[in-house]
Amino acid sequence: MSEAGPPDILGSEEMSFEEFVAASSGRLFTLARLLTGGHRAEAEDLLQGAFERAYRRWGRISRGGEPERYVRQMLVNASVDRWRRLRRHPESELAVSGADLGTADDTATVADRDLLLRGLAALAPRQRAVLVLRYFEDLSEAQTAAMLSCSVGTVKSQAARGLARLREMTGETADRDASAISREGTVRHD
Amino acid sequence: MTDFERRLREAMAAATEPPPAGLIDGIRRRHRRHLWRVGAASLAAVAVAGIAVPVGAREVSGRSGPAAASPTAASPTATPTAAPGTVLRDCQSSEGGTVSANWQESSVRAGPVWFIFMRPKNGSQPLASGKLTASAMVIAITNGKTAVVTAGPATAGRYRFLATFNSDGRPYAMTEGAPGLTLAGCPAGPAGTNIPASYAPGLTLFWEGYVTDLRGCIPLEVRTSEASVPIRVTISGAGCGSSA
């Protein structure tokens, strides 16, 4: 996996703040929603706050050429701060109801995705953030560790535990992917 | 990558949805609240530290005195560069925002430059040594103008401008600052500015940090060109107080 991370949508020095928001807000809003476990209001608040901080320093940020990376870091920092304010955020129970599944579409795929996202939302915030950064942002373990200000070992263990818990909550049989988790608890990526 | 991880990745990728409507307006409203809070906090800090003194302080247009650092080219279309020994703040590093009504009454003007909410309340407190502190103030310059701000000779290099400042309480050293500040306003007119015209029409705003171990009302000098005489003003500092 590349150490550079996902490229910014736009990095031009000449880009206006409004253009940047228009180009990046869709993906960043999705990131915020995933980080907050699907809470739309919280996600909007996080995103608006991160963009506002970027606006204060827009000249320097846009000159740096990676404004989206900056805002992404602000989003993660803000979500980490939120966890700290809440002190201990207990893991939520995942309500699995057959009637709730596949409400948007009856296909198995949609139902499966819905279940996975609700399982993700029910994880502890830190485990959720690790999984979102690893699988939505495609960051490497080192990049994820840097963004969360923790060690690579912590990222590995949080990812392994998060995936295991997600499997358990979604009724997935661990045997299917058991080979992917080493005895040290690390997740193997092809 | 396992099948489970692949499905999780696909689920996240499929979770996209359009951003909330009115996001830009929300960001601007939030930014205005931020500027209001910053301004109010600065005024409160100055008011708490203020000492009433009897002699009225007024901004003075100086006609003599040692020359300050020379400003760079005044053309708004030229790429601004910092005068020697100064920190450059230009359109790219400006902060958009609003200032409250009647802000001029509490501010100090020196040619095209405004030190917002920095007018000394009622005195010119002599400079004295004190604890090293770092803070920030709002400075504005007329769009299209360039000026160089330096601390007055009386400060003996003990008042310095910071290239960046975060009000997170971390200590700043005097060596981190520069003795002068080059201000370059955004180009006149709406094109090329990051500040919506409705926020602070005609002005480019900066949130400028400084570090000093002085107490009292701070003398500053502003020059708008290499040949111009410095405009001398006094702004409120620790132990001086503002009129707001």
Side-chain angles (χ1 to χ4, degrees), chain B residues 1 23 31 79 142 176 230:
Chain B
M1 180 177 294
L23 183 58
H31 188 63
T79 301
T142 304
E176 293 180 75

Side-chain angles (χ1 to χ4, degrees), chain A residues 54-116:
Chain A
Y55 184 56
R56 290 182 216 166
R57 306 168 180 86
W58 179 244
R60 272 164 279 176
I61 294 168
S62 62
R63 269 203 305 270
E66 293 185 306
E68 190 178 339
R69 178 176 294 195
Y70 176 90
V71 176
R72 193 163 57 232
Q73 181 70 63
M74 289 296 103
L75 274 180
V76 173
N77 290 350
S79 64
V80 168
D81 288 345
R82 196 169 293 230
W83 310 338
R84 287 173 182 157
R85 280 201 300 275
L86 295 173
R87 302 248 176 136
R88 293 188 64 188
H89 188 296
E91 194 173 273
S92 309
E93 288 296 319
L94 174 62
V96 180
S97 160
D100 289 339
L101 299 179
T103 50
D105 192 305
D106 287 334
T107 66
T109 301
V110 170
D112 184 53
R113 288 175 180 171
D114 179 70
L115 187 58
L116 283 169

Side-chain angles (χ1 to χ4, degrees), chain A residues 1-9 27 66 68-69 72 133 136-140 143:
Chain A
M1 184 178 290
S2 165
E3 286 295 312
D8 286 337
I9 294 172
R27 181 174 175 82
E66 293 185 306
E68 190 178 339
R69 178 176 294 195
R72 193 163 57 232
L133 293 175
F136 179 70
E137 287 294 325
D138 272 338
L139 298 187
S140 69
Q143 288 169 328

Side-chain angles (χ1 to χ4, degrees), chain B residues 10-225:
Chain B
E10 288 173 357
M12 290 185 193
T16 55
E17 63 177 279
L23 183 58
I24 281 284
D25 289 339
I27 294 165
R28 286 179 178 153
R29 276 195 302 274
R30 200 177 183 116
H31 188 63
R32 285 197 290 272
R33 286 198 300 272
H34 163 75
L35 286 181
W36 186 91
R37 280 197 302 270
V38 166
S42 301
L43 289 177
V46 168
V48 167
I51 300 171
V53 288
V55 183
R58 298 178 188 284
E59 55 188 280
V60 178
S61 294
R63 294 290 177 189
S64 61
S70 303
T72 53
S75 166
T77 55
T79 301
T81 54
T86 68
V87 168
L88 173 66
R89 300 300 305 277
D90 60 8
C91 191
Q92 292 297 311
S93 61
S94 66
E95 275 81 26
T98 56
V99 289
S100 59
N102 302 322
W103 59 271
Q104 290 99 330
E105 294 172 7
S106 307
S107 304
V108 175
R109 183 177 187 179
V113 178
W114 286 92
F115 300 91
I116 295 175
F117 301 134
M118 295 300 282
R119 181 183 291 274
K121 186 156 44 182
N122 55 5
S124 180
Q125 184 75 4
L127 292 173
S129 295
K131 182 182 168 188
L132 185 68
T133 58
S135 187
M137 59 181 157
V138 179
I139 303 180
I141 186 168
T142 304
N143 286 347
K145 300 292 185 181
T146 304
V148 168
V149 182
T150 53
T155 66
R158 291 161 61 193
Y159 185 94
R160 289 174 172 265
F161 298 95
L162 295 165
T164 59
F165 174 75
N166 289 312
S167 54
D168 55 5
R170 90 160 174 90
Y172 282 84
M174 196 72 86
T175 52
E176 293 180 75
L181 176 68
T182 297
L183 298 173
C186 291
T193 71
N194 285 327
I195 305 176
S198 59
Y199 278 20
L203 292 174
T204 304
L205 296 180
F206 302 98
W207 177 238
E208 178 55 42
Y210 58 87
V211 58
T212 184
D213 64 353
L214 293 173
R215 289 183 62 81
C217 302
I218 307 295
L220 297 178
E221 295 185 350
V222 177
R223 293 183 68 127
T224 53
S225 72

Side-chain angles (χ1 to χ4, degrees), chain A:
Chain A
M1 184 178 290
S2 165
E3 286 295 312
D8 286 337
I9 294 172
L10 289 170
S12 164
E13 185 176 333
E14 291 76 25
M15 180 176 48
S16 75
F17 180 75
E18 287 80 2
E19 288 171 335
F20 166 65
V21 171
S24 64
S25 57
R27 181 174 175 82
L28 289 171
F29 183 57
T30 303
L31 172 63
R33 286 208 71 180
L34 291 170
L35 286 171
T36 58
H39 291 282
R40 187 177 180 90
E42 275 188 37
E44 283 189 27
D45 188 53
L46 278 186
L47 184 65
Q48 207 179 81
F51 272 133
E52 193 274 333
R53 280 189 289 279
Y55 184 56
R56 290 182 216 166
R57 306 168 180 86
W58 179 244
R60 272 164 279 176
I61 294 168
S62 62
R63 269 203 305 270
E66 293 185 306
E68 190 178 339
R69 178 176 294 195
Y70 176 90
V71 176
R72 193 163 57 232
Q73 181 70 63
M74 289 296 103
L75 274 180
V76 173
N77 290 350
S79 64
V80 168
D81 288 345
R82 196 169 293 230
W83 310 338
R84 287 173 182 157
R85 280 201 300 275
L86 295 173
R87 302 248 176 136
R88 293 188 64 188
H89 188 296
E91 194 173 273
S92 309
E93 288 296 319
L94 174 62
V96 180
S97 160
D100 289 339
L101 299 179
T103 50
D105 192 305
D106 287 334
T107 66
T109 301
V110 170
D112 184 53
R113 288 175 180 171
D114 179 70
L115 187 58
L116 283 169
L117 290 178
R118 288 195 291 134
L120 183 73
L123 289 179
R126 199 169 179 82
Q127 288 179 353
R128 183 166 65 236
V130 167
L131 295 184
V132 169
L133 293 175
R134 294 284 283 121
Y135 298 108
F136 179 70
E137 287 294 325
D138 272 338
L139 298 187
S140 69
E141 289 168 339
Q143 288 169 328
T144 303
M147 192 160 272
L148 293 172
S149 301
C150 64
S151 69
V152 172
T154 300
V155 169
K156 289 179 177 178
S157 62
Q158 291 283 325
R161 288 173 191 154
L163 285 172
R165 184 75 184 113
L166 195 52
R167 280 194 186 89
E168 185 184 325
M169 286 192 290
T170 56
E172 193 81 13
T173 54
D175 300 347
R176 196 162 142 189
D177 291 324
S179 61
I181 303 179
S182 71
R183 273 180 294 185
E184 292 78 22
T186 58
V187 181
R188 188 185 70 206
H189 290 276
D190 299 330

